[in-house]
Amino acid sequence: GRHYAGAGATWQITPLVPFSLVTLFNCTDFSISLSPQIEYNISQDIYISLGVNAGLGKEPKSPLEMNSEFGAWPDIYYSSFRVYF
């Protein structure tokens, strides 16, 4: 793909819990990549977060025929634990 539109935003649910969402839209095949993430600041310099990378669009009919870029992506779930010192 060559033509994309993207947006990102963060909503501060509480001072210790931000929620962010990043989207990427393929203008050619109308598929979307969504990446929401929520984070919690356990204490000073210690963070835990959960997120998803999900693709929405037409799924491929065969391995050789792609109907949409992001529709062919698998959903990826992740978590992270970070300590800064």
Side-chain angles (χ1 to χ4, degrees), residues 4-70:
Y4 295 93
T10 299
W11 175 44
Q12 201 73 30
I13 298 171
T14 71
L16 300 177
V17 181
F19 173 79
S20 61
L21 177 65
V22 176
T23 61
L24 188 59
F25 177 72
N26 185 318
C27 301
T28 306
D29 63 24
F30 305 109
S31 61
I32 300 171
S33 170
L34 295 174
S35 299
Q37 178 182 342
I38 193 162
E39 182 176 85
Y40 177 60
N41 180 227
I42 297 170
S43 68
Q44 185 175 355
D45 299 330
I46 300 176
Y47 299 85
I48 189 168
S49 63
L50 299 170
V52 177
N53 290 330
L56 304 173
K58 294 180 182 177
E59 294 185 11
K61 293 180 181 177
S62 72
L64 300 176
E65 183 180 346
M66 299 288 281
N67 292 329
S68 69
E69 180 176 3
F70 299 124

